Amino acid sequence: MNSLAKVGVLVVSVVLVLSAAGLNAAEKKESMGAKLFQQHCAACHPNGGNIIKPAMTLHKKDMDAHGVKTAKDVVGKMRNPGPGMTRFDTKTVSDKDAMEIAEYILKTYK
């Protein structure tokens, strides 16, 4: 194999490795949100639904109707949910974990 071909193979290999590493990091972040959601939320919100108040699901149209549009809004509801939902204070769910959950919800339940 000539030198130019070897360099080409090397460049392609590096690009593939770096792409795979980036995808793996994204999957880990999403997995953390999914894991935390399963731990803290899924019992009452299976598949983004709501077993207590069926009209208040985690799906975009329902959250929009209740003024919950951003990750910060979701965390706000976790901290001060109102009647029927467990309150998740910072001792129960850290701000970082709450944001992971919120981002997972917004990405998953469109």
Side-chain angles (χ1 to χ4, degrees):
M1 190 183 275
N2 69 32
S3 296
L4 187 57
K6 288 179 183 177
V7 170
V9 168
L10 179 62
V11 168
V12 169
S13 298
V14 169
V15 168
L16 291 174
V17 168
L18 291 176
S19 296
L23 290 174
N24 191 27
E27 288 173 8
K28 284 182 183 176
K29 184 169 183 159
E30 186 174 43
S31 296
M32 180 57 73
K35 179 180 174 184
L36 291 165
F37 180 85
Q38 289 301 317
Q39 180 182 352
H40 297 288
C41 313
C44 294
H45 295 285
N47 298 315
N50 187 326
I51 64 170
I52 307 297
K53 294 183 176 182
M56 296 181 78
T57 74
L58 300 179
H59 297 281
K60 184 174 177 9
K61 67 177 178 61
D62 291 334
M63 291 202 318
D64 283 353
H66 293 96
V68 180
K69 299 180 181 195
T70 67
K72 186 176 177 181
D73 294 338
V74 174
V75 173
K77 283 293 182 188
M78 292 173 69
R79 302 293 190 224
N80 297 296
M85 183 175 151
T86 301
R87 181 176 180 267
F88 294 97
D89 61 21
T90 56
K91 290 180 183 176
T92 307
V93 178
S94 70
D95 287 335
K96 179 180 181 278
D97 288 352
M99 193 57 74
E100 291 279 350
I101 293 168
E103 290 172 2
Y104 170 78
I105 289 169
L106 294 173
K107 289 177 187 172
T108 305
Y109 303 110
K110 296 180 179 186

